Amino acid sequence: MYSFTDSVEILSQNGYTICANNNADEYARKIVVLVHGFGGSSEGRFTSSLTPILNEKGLGVVSFDLPGHGRSPVGGE
């Protein structure tokens, strides 16, 4: 599995905690936002495989867990 650089928690306007991974360094001129599919997570096989390839091409990657997936808890309305 790929080692993610920076894990953060974002509080949404509706009170959800959204867990995200930031793999964009200070030299990245473009950012790719990866969103997982149903039942996936920001640290799943797809994201873990694609992130190093995109980073090698100079692209930063930000991925996040939708509520109730991965590290983001189920909550809110």
Side-chain angles (χ1 to χ4, degrees):
M1 277 285 192
Y2 182 75
S3 176
F4 292 96
T5 317
D6 187 22
S7 295
V8 296
E9 290 185 356
I10 303 164
L11 185 60
S12 76
Q13 290 179 333
N14 297 333
Y16 289 105
T17 299
I18 299 169
C19 296
N21 296 311
N22 177 11
N23 289 56
D25 65 23
E26 61 189 85
Y27 303 107
R29 306 234 344 133
K30 294 183 180 179
I31 305 290
V32 176
V33 178
L34 293 180
V35 181
H36 62 79
F38 181 75
S41 78
S42 66
E43 296 179 346
R45 206 175 336 171
F46 173 76
T47 304
S48 297
S49 299
L50 192 56
T51 296
I53 294 168
L54 293 171
N55 286 162
E56 287 173 11
K57 296 187 180 296
L59 300 169
V61 177
V62 174
S63 57
F64 62 93
D65 286 321
L66 296 169
H69 292 79
R71 296 172 309 164
S72 291
V74 177
E77 296 177 15

